[in-house]
Amino acid sequence: MKLMFYINDSRLRNAIIQSAAVKGLKRRNATLRNLIIVLSLILSQTANAAWFSATGHAAILNGDKMAAKHQATEEAIKQALLFAGASVRSVQQMTNGLLMNDHLEIRSSGEVSTLELIDEVYSDGYVTVSIRADIFSQKSQCSAADYTKRLATTYFPIRYGAQAADGQVHHLGAAAALKLQETFSQISTGLTLSEVEPYTLNWHNTDQQIQATKLAQKTDVQYVLAITIDDISVERDHASAFTFWKGDQAVRNFAYTLTLLNGASGEELLSKQYRISEAWEFDMTRKLDVNSDEFWRSRYGRAVLESMQESAIDLEKFAICEPTMGRILAVNNNQLQINLGKNQKVKAGDTLTLFSVKQIRDTFGQEYKQFVLHPTSLVVTQVFAETATVTSRDRSLLANIQPNDYVARQ
């Protein structure tokens, strides 16, 4: 991937050209000072706009140039936006070699007003696509968006294991979980899938609340993702004597249920189902390696990746302005150590809310989690990679605080 930076302001370009034309070598220093002043004045009046150019590559599989072009274009867009500190909300529709409807929504940190397809080159089974995007930075829409929230999950269980026999894809749940983790690292700015535990939990027929709180405590995260693969069945259309030239054709489903759970309480926060159907290019008796590039570059593999990208975007859209929660690790001399640090974008001087989670029981014996707020606000005084030190903002005594109580950025 190659990336270039452009200045996007006609007044700025004119100022540079004019300054270069009228100033001689003998007055180079004076010209430089004047030009810096011009640059400062103009840039202060713009919305921090800049042109970014990026290049994406994709393999052409089974002669499908349009699919490869689409994949390469998406990759180029993501690279440009990630470099500019933004993440993709949607990808433009390509028409006649141009990206039309040129508006992209960018979560929390930027916006694209113009997106252009510059070039496409086909060579040696690959397509290379170059794009140019006009990206405007903007402030976060909420203070909670400043912090990175951590999630954990396990390998995805396949609800009906017999469906994995076609292609011998019994390990697809493990491979898909790791691909989702990779997807978060590529496109998300506010969430990170920090832990994928190497085992499966049967989220669909056991107590999600208990499993979620245990997993969150073990992995030290705020959220738990409970994902179950509901359907990977294959629908095969066998060629008849009259359509023998078509050969056997197959379509495979990929449906899954995603549930986002609060790691502290086990409360269900979001639940959504996703389903795709795509051409299945492999023989029934072939044993596939679901971790191979061949599998993930196939039409089915790409469709699964796109579906997981959609779910990652949905999760960040939901969680971006939710309070970022951290856990108290230790209490010492009116100072608290918390499990949030530089890697979660914590800064000295940040204000946090202190609270505890208590178990209560109603008159019918039903148990509930209750959040109890502490009256004193906290301020961050020291920040380390994965931890930080906080104390009371008004210097009052922090009483009745225990390890495993919580702080929140709201």
Side-chain angles (χ1 to χ4, degrees):
M1 188 274 292
K2 60 181 182 179
L3 193 62
M4 295 186 293
F5 176 82
Y6 296 83
I7 297 173
N8 179 33
D9 193 290
S10 59
R11 292 171 296 171
L12 181 55
R13 290 194 296 269
N14 292 337
I16 294 173
I17 294 170
Q18 183 177 5
S19 296
V22 301
K23 304 297 182 181
L25 292 176
K26 294 182 180 180
R27 301 182 61 187
R28 179 180 297 171
N29 292 337
T31 301
L32 182 59
R33 286 195 300 270
N34 293 337
L35 183 54
I36 291 173
I37 294 173
V38 172
L39 291 175
S40 300
L41 289 173
I42 293 175
L43 289 176
S44 66
Q45 298 171 5
T46 64
N48 296 322
W51 282 104
F52 290 85
S53 177
T55 301
H57 308 274
I60 302 171
L61 301 176
N62 300 321
D64 194 342
K65 291 186 176 182
M66 287 304 299
K69 178 182 175 181
H70 180 76
Q71 184 181 3
T73 304
E74 285 189 349
E75 179 64 24
I77 293 170
K78 291 173 188 175
Q79 294 294 344
L81 294 175
L82 288 170
F83 185 84
S87 298
V88 180
R89 275 290 294 132
S90 60
V91 177
Q92 302 306 86
Q93 181 179 0
M94 293 177 293
T95 304
N96 296 327
L98 294 176
L99 292 163
M100 307 302 291
N101 302 320
D102 52 0
H103 178 76
L104 282 175
E105 293 180 47
I106 308 304
R107 293 187 306 282
S108 80
S109 57
E111 184 178 84
V112 173
S113 64
T114 304
L115 190 61
E116 298 176 358
L117 183 64
I118 304 302
D119 191 21
E120 57 184 280
V121 177
Y122 297 87
S123 177
D124 298 327
Y126 284 83
V127 59
T128 301
V129 173
S130 298
I131 62 99
R132 185 173 65 175
D134 190 11
I135 300 175
F136 293 79
S137 62
Q138 61 183 30
K139 294 182 179 179
S140 298
Q141 58 191 2
C142 54
S143 59
D146 294 340
Y147 285 6
T148 300
K149 302 174 180 68
R150 290 177 292 197
L151 304 93
T153 191
T154 65
Y155 290 166
F156 305 157
I158 299 175
R159 192 166 186 176
Y160 303 104
Q163 294 178 347
D166 194 314
Q168 299 293 300
V169 292
H170 300 282
H171 299 294
L172 179 58
L178 296 176
K179 284 294 182 181
L180 181 61
Q181 185 178 40
E182 184 181 321
T183 296
F184 269 104
S185 68
Q186 291 174 343
I187 73 172
S188 180
T189 58
L191 293 176
T192 176
L193 185 52
S194 57
E195 299 292 337
V196 177
E197 291 295 286
Y199 50 82
T200 60
L201 291 173
N202 293 324
W203 297 104
H204 53 279
N205 59 13
T206 54
D207 192 323
Q208 286 190 349
Q209 183 175 0
I210 294 175
Q211 289 188 145
T213 52
K214 288 182 178 179
L215 181 59
Q217 185 175 13
K218 177 182 179 182
T219 55
D220 201 21
V221 298
Q222 177 173 347
Y223 295 123
V224 167
L225 278 179
I227 296 181
T228 299
I229 299 178
D230 301 314
D231 184 11
I232 53 171
S233 61
V234 180
E235 302 167 18
R236 292 190 177 274
D237 182 15
H238 297 288
S240 68
F242 301 102
T243 59
F244 61 89
W245 64 88
K246 292 184 178 179
D248 291 350
Q249 298 180 358
V251 172
R252 189 159 207 157
N253 301 303
F254 187 81
Y256 59 102
T257 301
L258 178 151
T259 305
L260 181 68
L261 301 144
N262 185 312
S265 65
E267 175 190 6
E268 181 180 307
L269 303 174
L270 175 70
S271 184
K272 189 171 181 180
Q273 292 181 323
Y274 299 84
R275 173 178 289 275
I276 61 99
S277 296
E278 186 54 86
W280 180 248
E281 307 163 17
F282 306 103
D283 293 335
M284 182 187 301
T285 57
R286 180 179 176 185
K287 185 176 181 180
L288 289 168
D289 180 2
V290 292
N291 295 299
S292 67
D293 284 344
E294 179 189 16
F295 176 81
W296 290 107
R297 287 180 177 177
S298 69
R299 290 179 60 180
Y300 181 78
R302 293 201 305 267
V304 172
L305 288 176
E306 289 176 0
S307 180
M308 289 194 293
Q309 288 173 0
E310 180 185 356
S311 65
I313 289 170
D314 288 343
L315 285 168
E316 181 158 319
K317 183 179 179 181
F318 170 82
I320 189 69
C321 284
E322 290 294 305
T324 302
M325 293 172 52
R327 186 167 55 88
I328 294 175
L329 303 174
V331 181
N332 186 26
N333 295 329
N334 213 46
Q335 291 185 333
L336 312 176
Q337 300 296 320
I338 64 173
N339 67 338
L340 301 174
K342 289 181 180 178
N343 292 343
Q344 289 74 48
K345 303 177 185 177
V346 176
K347 301 183 295 297
D350 287 350
T351 299
L352 303 176
T353 301
L354 177 62
F355 68 97
S356 59
V357 180
K358 298 185 181 300
Q359 195 85 17
I360 62 173
R361 189 187 302 269
D362 64 14
T363 55
F364 301 100
Q366 183 70 36
E367 290 188 343
Y368 296 90
K369 299 284 187 179
Q370 181 182 30
F371 294 84
V372 181
L373 299 179
H374 196 280
T376 303
S377 295
L378 303 177
V379 62
V380 178
T381 57
Q382 287 183 296
V383 185
F384 308 97
E386 292 287 347
T387 62
T389 302
V390 300
T391 188
S392 58
R393 178 167 284 281
D394 59 5
R395 301 183 183 277
S396 61
L397 183 64
L398 294 173
N400 302 318
I401 309 301
Q402 302 292 330
N404 294 322
D405 285 347
Y406 294 90
V407 296
R409 168 78 160 177
Q410 297 177 299

